[in-house]
Amino acid sequence: MSSVVGSRLDFSREERVRFLRMAHRDQRRVYMLAHHALRHILASYLSIPPAQVAFRTQTGGKPELVGTAPARGLHFNISHSGDRAAIAVSRAAALGVDIERVRYDGRVEAVIRKRCLGPTF
C-alpha cells in the first residue's frame, strides 16, 4: 500500500481535489486504489509510464484521455461505490460502466410484502 500512497502524487490536480473533498477515509481509499489501477491499466495499453497517463473529467462525469493518447483510439471508464470499483477499457468503441452499492435496510422486504404478496402475509 505504501507504493500506492506514494503514487497519489502522480494524480492530476482534478483527482487530488476530488480525493480531498471525500469525507470518509474508506471512500478515499477506494478512489485512490481505483485510480491507481486505472492509471496502470491505461499505461499498459498506451505503452507509457503510469505517471504520463493524463485524463480529465468531461461535463457529465465521463473521463477522457488528454494529450496524444486519444489519437490511439483507446476508450475507458471507471466507477466506484462502497468498497468496489469497476474499470472498462476498449479499443473498439466508447463505453461506460457504472456500479452502485446497494444498501439493504429491510424496507425492501416490507414493500414487497405490501405490494406483491398482499395483506395475508
Side-chain angles (χ1 to χ4, degrees):
M1 178 97 146
S2 61
S3 65
V4 174
V5 171
S7 73
R8 187 175 63 184
L9 301 173
D10 293 337
F11 282 5
S12 68
R13 182 182 186 286
E14 181 182 341
E15 287 173 297
R16 285 191 302 272
V17 167
R18 187 167 179 199
F19 173 84
L20 292 171
R21 284 185 184 160
M22 294 180 175
H24 301 286
R25 184 175 152 225
D26 290 343
Q27 284 178 317
R28 286 182 174 189
R29 181 179 164 275
V30 171
Y31 180 88
M32 182 175 55
L33 293 171
H35 281 249
H36 175 79
L38 175 63
R39 194 168 297 285
H40 281 262
I41 291 167
L42 293 175
S44 71
Y45 275 90
L46 298 167
S47 300
I48 61 175
Q52 290 181 8
V53 174
F55 52 89
R56 65 177 172 234
T57 305
Q58 301 174 14
T59 304
K62 188 171 173 76
E64 68 178 346
L65 290 164
V66 296
T68 59
R72 298 184 191 185
L74 189 64
H75 306 277
F76 72 100
N77 206 307
I78 183 171
S79 180
H80 35 83
S81 181
D83 63 352
R84 303 280 192 252
I87 295 171
V89 181
S90 171
R91 289 197 188 275
L95 50 81
V97 62
D98 191 27
I99 62 172
E100 188 65 37
R101 180 179 178 194
V102 176
R103 293 177 184 96
Y104 180 76
D105 63 5
R107 289 186 285 181
V108 171
E109 207 171 274
V111 169
I112 290 171
R113 204 175 288 122
K114 179 180 178 183
R115 297 194 182 204
C116 300
L117 300 177
T120 58
F121 286 90

